[in-house]
Amino acid sequence: MKFIHLSDTHILARDDYSRHPDAAATLGKIIGEINKYHRDAEICVITGDITHHGHPEQYEQAIAILGDLAIPYILIPGNHDERAAFKQAFPDTPVDENGFINHGHTFGGVRFVMMDSIVPGAHHGTLCQHRLDWLRNELNAHQDMPTFLFMHHPPFEMGLPFMDTIRLDADQKLGEIVTANPQIKHLFFGHLHRPATGTWQGVPFLLAASTQCGEPLDFRHEKEEDLEDRNRLNPGYGIAFADSTGGLRYHFDFIKFDL
Ligand SMILES: [Fe+2]
């Protein structure tokens, strides 16, 4: 089963940030590649920061661009999104009984669990008691199914001080759930705008590329204005192959774009 992974589309462009390219143009170019080479993918998963400011007109533009995708897509919000505007823009996206954008799907015998990790008005992420309970129930209901867990915020530090300060703060409780549910075979996050992999609680994870641009790979500075971007990353996305045991092969691809 083949799927596509997009993240951090950040529609519109960060026009206050001259080092960033036009997010609408980069996403459009990547969608062109998907439609040309990956029409056989079953689903496209988008792990948050659909818009840059959460404004309704930014969602309108995102919907228009994503409307060109030749395959269906599912998505969750990131810290740059606004929950109410997101729900209005994507009314077909399931919402849980408490209004969080948590939803589960099955593709190729694998359960895709999508979680809303946002905190209104803040850039860090969390999973409150309601969301942790939803996750426990979702996992209990599909215990025999290999599971991929998707959320915007990673629950661990990556050694990048700027991003580490705005990670998911519910790491301990999520960690207990992950270790108690061995059917979770892989974790997928956005937020960093940097392709990276590792293991957490014994489970492999990956951090997605952004379809707009990379964040600086800066291991020293905590403040955004101090970040040094020595190796700019081009807009990128993921092409994944999963099997019914939850095995995964994942390619990062980057498009040529004038940065
Ligand atoms: Fe982002």
Side-chain angles (χ1 to χ4, degrees), residues 172-211:
Q172 204 177 337
K173 288 191 168 136
L174 178 62
E176 287 166 11
I177 293 173
V178 168
T179 51
N181 287 277
Q183 75 269 32
I184 299 176
K185 302 300 184 193
H186 219 290
L187 308 169
F188 302 77
F189 306 102
H191 201 38
L192 246 72
H193 297 213
R194 277 273 162 188
T197 66
T199 58
W200 183 68
Q201 308 290 342
V203 179
F205 68 78
L206 68 81
L207 296 155
S210 163
T211 63

Side-chain angles (χ1 to χ4, degrees), residues 8 10 14 48-49 79-80 152 191 193:
D8 295 84
H10 283 267
R14 300 182 187 188
D49 280 359
N79 51 300
H80 282 268
H152 185 70
H191 201 38
H193 297 213

Side-chain angles (χ1 to χ4, degrees), residues 135-213:
L135 177 58
R136 288 189 193 97
N137 289 338
E138 160 66 33
L139 292 166
N140 284 342
H142 302 89
Q143 244 171 359
D144 298 330
M145 205 174 273
T147 297
F148 293 162
L149 181 58
F150 297 84
M151 69 181 77
H152 185 70
H153 296 83
F156 40 75
E157 294 182 354
M158 283 297 287
L160 300 170
F162 167 57
M163 295 307 294
D164 289 346
T165 59
I166 53 171
R167 68 186 177 91
L168 189 91
D169 67 7
D171 50 312
Q172 204 177 337
K173 288 191 168 136
L174 178 62
E176 287 166 11
I177 293 173
V178 168
T179 51
N181 287 277
Q183 75 269 32
I184 299 176
K185 302 300 184 193
H186 219 290
L187 308 169
F188 302 77
F189 306 102
H191 201 38
L192 246 72
H193 297 213
R194 277 273 162 188
T197 66
T199 58
W200 183 68
Q201 308 290 342
V203 179
F205 68 78
L206 68 81
L207 296 155
S210 163
T211 63
Q212 187 195 17
C213 62

